Amino acid sequence: MARNSSLHIFPTPAESLDHLADFFVELAARAIQAHGRFSVALSGGSSPKKLYELLASEEYRGRVAWEKVFFFFGDERYVPPTDADSNYRMAREALLEPLGIAPAQVFAVDTALTPAEAAQHYTQTIEQFFGQAEARFDLVLLGLGDNSHTASLFPHTPVLHDATVGAREVFVEEKQAYRITLTAPLLNLAQTTVFLVYGADKAAAVQHILTGERNIDEYPAQLIAPASGELHWFLDEAAASRLPPGSR
């Protein structure tokens, strides 16, 4: 497993979500106390949506100083922000609007531009946010596809070998569509990175990433190995079911 990697395995998806929501609250408080704000790169997908809905619930909404939280996206589909496939739209409906997050705190990918321009613009947006400091998110939330992709780092795509720190466009053959993704070098600068993965259909991918032979073209999520930050996996028992006992 990657250095500084911690596994958190729970019997059910609901328990994984509850513990991750508590962890989010803890990280937010720590970052805000340290430097006055909390920068988060959000993930798309059905698993994070449940986390966002939980964070926006009555149980959690009062536990975070949301006016000091700034939201980015680890990747985005190349669709309008009103499209059902938009990661921004999902986050807006599940988290941002219910919490009344101000537009100035949300940095979406501008998909009205060409894919290359959208990636370049997003890189500049991130650079402007961090200013002279290193572009180091306090938290990067990631999911894991059953094909071992994360963000929009898909198997056998050129972006897997991109050494730049920023956002890049990528054409995903299996989807026949463009996506905009943060590069692995940028993701790996994060203070804390969290994978949220549950379900038996993800068990093989989890096994490949955590204990398999290194092959980033086949298993792109192996690229996520923070240089100095923490890496956490929040799993349910089903997703962890193929991990060898000694790796837990």
Side-chain angles (χ1 to χ4, degrees):
M1 291 195 302
R3 287 182 300 112
N4 306 322
S5 182
S6 299
L7 299 186
H8 311 270
I9 302 170
F10 303 96
T12 66
E15 288 171 274
S16 300
L17 289 163
D18 286 344
H19 283 84
L20 180 48
D22 290 337
F23 190 51
F24 184 102
V25 170
E26 175 189 327
L27 291 176
R30 192 189 308 168
I32 291 167
Q33 183 176 23
H35 48 257
R37 68 185 187 187
F38 182 47
S39 58
V40 183
L42 298 175
S43 172
S46 57
S47 300
K49 182 181 180 182
K50 294 183 186 302
L51 173 67
Y52 304 158
E53 291 169 342
L54 183 58
L55 288 169
S57 70
E58 289 300 322
E59 182 180 356
Y60 283 94
R61 61 188 304 133
R63 296 173 58 187
V64 175
W66 293 108
E67 72 280 3
K68 296 178 181 178
V69 183
F70 295 84
F71 298 92
F72 293 81
F73 293 84
D75 73 321
E76 182 57 275
R77 283 82 176 259
Y78 188 62
V79 295
T82 54
D83 193 281
D85 286 335
S86 167
N87 287 341
Y88 164 75
R89 176 180 167 175
M90 182 274 280
R92 188 192 75 217
E93 294 177 349
L95 180 69
L96 306 174
E97 282 185 350
L99 291 173
I101 301 297
Q105 295 169 240
V106 183
F107 299 88
V109 176
D110 186 355
T111 53
L113 302 172
T114 68
E117 290 170 343
Q120 182 181 18
H121 181 265
Y122 208 53
T123 298
Q124 293 169 346
T125 297
I126 292 168
E127 289 173 348
Q128 289 167 4
F129 178 81
F130 287 100
Q132 296 301 310
E134 193 170 47
R136 192 175 198 203
F137 293 106
D138 292 305
L139 172 63
V140 167
L141 285 169
L142 294 171
L144 181 68
D146 53 16
N147 65 351
S148 299
H149 86 271
T150 192
S152 280
L153 304 175
F154 278 81
H156 307 289
T157 53
V159 72
L160 302 181
H161 300 277
D162 196 315
T164 59
V165 174
R168 286 288 181 267
E169 76 280 9
V170 56
F171 186 76
V172 183
E173 288 285 350
E174 64 188 82
K175 305 290 185 183
Q176 284 296 295
Y178 275 99
R179 294 192 177 190
I180 312 301
T181 188
L182 302 189
T183 62
L186 174 54
L187 294 170
N188 282 333
L189 288 176
Q191 180 70 41
T192 303
T193 303
V194 172
F195 277 92
L196 171 62
V197 189
Y198 52 79
D201 58 327
K202 303 294 179 71
V206 169
Q207 179 190 27
H208 288 312
I209 303 310
L210 289 176
T211 64
E213 184 177 343
R214 185 169 173 82
N215 184 342
I216 63 167
D217 287 298
E218 198 70 33
Y219 312 121
Q222 289 179 340
L223 283 166
I224 305 304
S228 60
E230 297 179 357
L231 176 59
H232 295 264
W233 289 75
F234 281 74
L235 307 167
D236 72 341
E237 285 287 356
S241 61
R242 292 181 58 167
L243 291 177
S247 68
R248 293 190 175 208

